[in-house]
Amino acid sequence: MKYEAVIGLEIHSELKTQTKIFCGCATSFGADQNTHVCPVCLGLPGVLPVVNRKVVEFAIKAGLATNCTINQYSKFDRKNYYYPDLPKNFQTSQFDLPIAEHGSVEIEVDGVKKTVRLTRIHMEEDAGKLVHSGATIKDSDSSNVDYNRTGVPLIEIVSEPDMRSAAEARAYMEKIKSILEYIDVSNCRMEEGNLRADINVSLRPVGSEKLGTRTEMKNINSFKALEDAINYEIERQAEVLDDGGKIIQETRTWDADRGITLSMRSKEEAHDYRYMPEPDLPPIVTTSEEIEAYRKSLPELPDAKKHRLIDKLGLSEYDAGILTSTRAMADYFDKVVELGADPKSTANWMMGDLAKNLNAEGLTIEKSPIDPTRLAKMISLVEKGTISGKIAKTLFVEMWKDSSDPEKIVEAKGLVQITDSSAIEKIVLEVIEKNPKPVEEYRAGKKKAIGSLVGQVMKLTKGKANPQLVNKLLEEKLQ
Ligand code: ADP
Ligand code: ZN
Ligand code: MG
C-alpha cells in the first residue's frame, strides 16, 4: 500500500462512582427509565451542581497511571449543543484546562513495542439515552428519552494520532481498559457502554509527515467493531484517493451489520460549541501533596506486573503478557501463586485447560467453576506426587463439574497415583514380556525405545502409575 494510516482515539470511560458527577443520583445501570434523576441532572432552572470528589480522584488516578502531568489548577467549561438527551443544552466538560495532560502508554503488536502519547484526560458528564419505539431511529414513530445516564461521570482520554494500524489501535484500547480496571476506576463493561471510543482515521502517502484529512467514527463499543471499522475506513479512503478524490472531514457511523461506514454529518469544529467557563462550579485546585498521595495509592499497574512475572517468577514474555492483560486474570494468577502453587504450572493450567474451558462456555474468569483455591490445591496434589500430571487433566474435568475439594474427588474417583512398586512391578514384567520388539531395541542400545514401554505401563494403569517409578523399574528389569 502506498498510504500510511494514521489513527487517533478518543476513549470515553464511565467512572464507577456510586453517585453522579454533580448530584447525588445513583449511577447504577439497568434501572427503570427516569428513576435516577433529580432537578440537578435534569437541568431544571436555578439548580446548582456540586462536584463529586470521587470523580476528581478517579480522573487524577487515571492520569497518573497513564504518565500524565496533573494540572493542579483545572476547571470546567460548558460545551453548547442541542440534542434531546442533553437537558441543559450544554454538556459540562473541560476545555482548555483539563485535569491531566501529556501522558503515554506502551503497546505491543507482534512483538514490536511502541509508545502512544496521550494528549489529555478530561472530566465530563454523560448525556441521556434515546429509546426508540422501533429497532432504529428510522423505523420509529416516537422515541423516549431516559435521563438515568445524564450526569454519570466520564473521563475522556484523547490520544495523539500515533497509531498506524487497526491492530495498534486495538492494543492501545486494550491497554487503556486494563489500566482503568487495575486502578479500579471503571467497570469497563464495553457491552454496557462503560467504555467506548471515537476513532479518527486518515491516510497520507508513505514517507509524508503532513497529516491527511480525517474522518471520525463515534461510539464504538467492542474491539471487533474497532478493528473492522478502522480497516474498512482505511480501504474506503484509499479508494477515494486512488480515484483522485478528496477525503471530506466528517463524522461517519459504523454499521456493524453491513460492515461499512456511512456518512452522518460534516465535522463540527471547537468554535461551533461556543465553549465558555462554567460559572456554577469553582476551579479544581489540587496540591502536590494530594497528587503524591494518589500516586502512592495506585496498585501495581499492568506493565509493572508483567515485568515482575518475567523477572521474579521466570515466566515467558508471552505468558506474562496474557496473564496480566486483564485485572481479573492477574488477580486469579496472583491468588493461586500466593497459595503456594508453582508459577509456571499455574500459568500453564490457566492458559491451557482453564482458558479452553472458559472459552468453550463463554465464561469470564471471575465466573470460573474452578476458583484459585481449588486450582492451587490441584497443582499441589501434582507437586506432592499424589496424582500424576496426566491424572490432573482428568481431575480438572471432574472439578469443572463438581465443586467439592480436589482431594475428595481424587479419593472418590480412585485417582490416587500408584507408588507401590510391587504393584507396578507386576505390570512392568507383563509389558516386557508382551513387547519383544522395543525390548530388543533397548537392549541393542536404542535407549529411546523405553518410551513406548513406559507408555504401555501407563496405559495399563490408566495413567495412575508414578512415571518416575515406572522408568526406574523398567530400567532395572531390562538390565
Ligand atoms: P475533536 O475530534 O473533538 O475535534 P481533536 O481535534 O482534538 O478533537 O482530535 C481528536 C482525535 O483525533 C485525537 O485523538 C487526535 O489524535 C486525532 N486526530 C487528529 N488529527 C488526525 C488526523 N489527521 N488523522 C487521524 N487522527 C487525527
Ligand atoms: Zn440527579
Ligand atoms: Mg472527536
Side-chain angles (χ1 to χ4, degrees):
M1 182 137 132
K2 53 184 189 285
Y3 304 112
E4 176 179 59
V6 174
I7 302 154
L9 258 50
E10 298 157 87
I11 297 179
H12 287 93
S13 168
E14 281 181 2
L15 300 176
K16 56 189 280 192
T17 53
Q18 297 291 317
T19 54
K20 293 186 179 179
I21 183 167
F22 302 125
C23 64
C25 292
T27 51
S28 48
F29 181 80
D32 285 345
Q33 284 176 29
N34 297 307
T35 51
H36 294 172
V37 292
C38 75
V40 173
C41 53
L42 288 174
L44 300 188
V47 294
L48 284 174
V50 176
V51 178
N52 181 343
R53 276 305 307 180
K54 230 19 192 192
V55 172
V56 180
E57 174 187 331
F58 284 179
I60 292 177
K61 284 182 173 167
L64 292 170
T66 50
N67 305 305
C68 286
T69 308
I70 305 302
N71 285 328
Q72 289 185 237
Y73 184 90
S74 174
K75 71 169 172 69
F76 284 102
D77 299 276
R78 292 182 174 185
K79 180 180 183 179
N80 298 278
Y81 67 95
Y82 172 81
Y83 203 66
D85 64 7
L86 189 77
K88 296 187 290 187
N89 289 339
F90 62 83
Q91 179 190 30
T92 305
S93 180
Q94 297 198 279
F95 186 51
D96 54 336
L97 289 170
I99 189 75
E101 284 179 289
H102 314 305
S104 66
V105 296
E106 277 231 333
I107 59 165
E108 189 174 329
V109 173
D110 296 334
V112 182
K113 291 202 176 81
K114 170 166 188 174
T115 301
V116 175
R117 292 165 301 156
L118 266 60
T119 317
R120 57 191 268 146
I121 297 180
H122 65 251
M123 300 175 281
E124 61 188 23
E125 57 184 342
D126 209 345
K129 206 177 185 165
L130 292 183
V131 185
H132 307 303
S133 62
T136 65
I137 193 166
K138 285 206 182 101
D139 34 57
S140 298
D141 300 328
S142 65
S143 298
N144 284 347
V145 57
D146 177 7
Y147 289 121
N148 283 352
R149 201 176 68 180
T150 310
V152 167
L154 291 177
I155 46 175
E156 177 171 337
I157 305 169
V158 183
S159 84
E160 290 291 308
D162 283 349
M163 289 147 279
R164 297 290 173 265
S165 65
E168 285 188 5
R170 179 189 181 125
Y172 167 74
M173 183 137 177
E174 281 177 340
K175 182 50 75 66
I176 293 290
K177 177 171 185 272
S178 100
I179 290 173
L180 297 178
E181 284 172 354
Y182 269 62
I183 63 174
D184 208 21
V185 301
S186 172
N187 288 320
C188 293
R189 288 187 204 112
M190 295 175 83
E191 64 294 350
E192 289 180 15
N194 289 166
L195 194 69
R196 40 193 208 259
D198 299 347
I199 345 181
N200 297 270
V201 179
S202 67
L203 296 185
R204 64 184 173 192
V206 170
S208 156
E209 290 285 307
K210 202 168 148 264
L211 290 175
T213 305
R214 69 179 150 129
T215 59
E216 179 170 9
M217 272 109 6
K218 285 193 180 286
N219 286 325
I220 302 290
N221 69 349
S222 80
F223 289 121
K224 182 171 187 311
L226 178 99
E227 282 197 275
D228 290 350
I230 292 173
N231 284 328
Y232 177 87
E233 193 54 21
I234 290 173
E235 266 185 46
R236 187 192 69 83
Q237 291 187 15
E239 266 172 40
V240 172
L241 295 174
D242 281 343
D243 291 346
K246 271 209 169 101
I247 302 300
I248 305 160
Q249 178 156 340
E250 62 183 354
T251 302
R252 300 178 67 86
T253 112
W254 170 242
D255 183 332
D257 293 334
R258 290 200 277 164
I260 56 173
T261 64
L262 297 162
S263 176
M264 211 158 76
R265 59 171 187 258
S266 70
K267 172 89 182 108
E268 58 291 322
E269 304 277 347
H271 63 247
D272 295 327
Y273 289 122
R274 318 293 307 179
Y275 276 101
M276 62 174 82
E278 168 61 68
D280 288 342
L281 289 163
I284 300 145
V285 179
T286 316
T287 65
S288 345
E289 290 75 33
E290 284 170 313
I291 295 171
E292 282 323 299
Y294 289 136
R295 198 191 299 278
K296 285 210 186 81
S297 76
L298 291 180
E300 185 180 38
L301 295 172
D303 287 347
K305 181 161 255 168
K306 179 176 161 188
H307 289 122
R308 177 169 61 82
L309 299 197
I310 297 169
D311 301 340
K312 298 251 162 70
L313 301 181
L315 297 190
S316 71
E317 169 127 24
Y318 178 77
D319 291 3
I322 292 190
L323 292 171
T324 55
S325 62
T326 65
R327 167 106 190 229
M329 191 92 146
D331 284 351
Y332 189 105
F333 175 84
D334 276 350
K335 189 90 192 285
V336 179
V337 172
E338 229 174 77
L339 291 166
D342 170 61
K344 274 190 194 151
S345 317
T346 307
N348 289 343
W349 282 104
M350 282 182 68
M351 292 169 60
D353 297 55
L354 184 66
K356 208 172 72 204
N357 280 278
L358 290 174
N359 276 343
E361 295 187 21
L363 293 175
T364 60
I365 198 159
E366 292 104 318
K367 301 260 162 67
S368 170
I370 300 183
D371 65 7
T373 313
R374 292 207 306 144
L375 186 66
K377 279 187 183 161
M378 189 200 90
I379 294 174
S380 93
L381 288 175
V382 181
E383 280 164 12
K384 283 190 296 199
T386 312
I387 57 170
S388 65
K390 190 150 174 265
I391 287 293
K393 293 244 172 206
T394 314
L395 175 59
F396 189 92
V397 175
E398 295 298 329
M399 284 168 69
W400 197 264
K401 300 180 286 196
D402 176 345
S403 63
S404 33
D405 237 34
E407 279 107 333
K408 286 225 179 81
I409 302 177
V410 165
E411 245 172 64
K413 302 264 164 187
L415 298 174
V416 181
Q417 180 157 257
I418 308 170
T419 45
D420 167 9
S421 35
S422 61
I424 299 177
E425 198 176 300
K426 257 176 50 198
I427 300 168
V428 162
L429 289 172
E430 189 189 325
V431 165
I432 290 178
E433 203 184 303
K434 286 194 181 148
N435 295 278
K437 208 173 148 239
V439 169
E440 204 51 18
E441 288 172 358
Y442 179 84
R443 289 188 169 138
K446 198 178 155 204
K447 299 289 172 208
K448 270 194 189 157
I450 202 168
S452 83
L453 297 171
V454 174
Q456 288 295 321
V457 177
M458 293 310 286
K459 205 169 146 195
L460 287 172
T461 58
K462 299 201 174 64
K464 286 193 270 176
N466 176 316
Q468 284 84 17
L469 195 56
V470 172
N471 252 296
K472 191 171 143 257
L473 288 172
L474 270 168
E475 275 169 11
E476 274 172 32
K477 302 294 167 197
L478 288 168
Q479 285 304 315

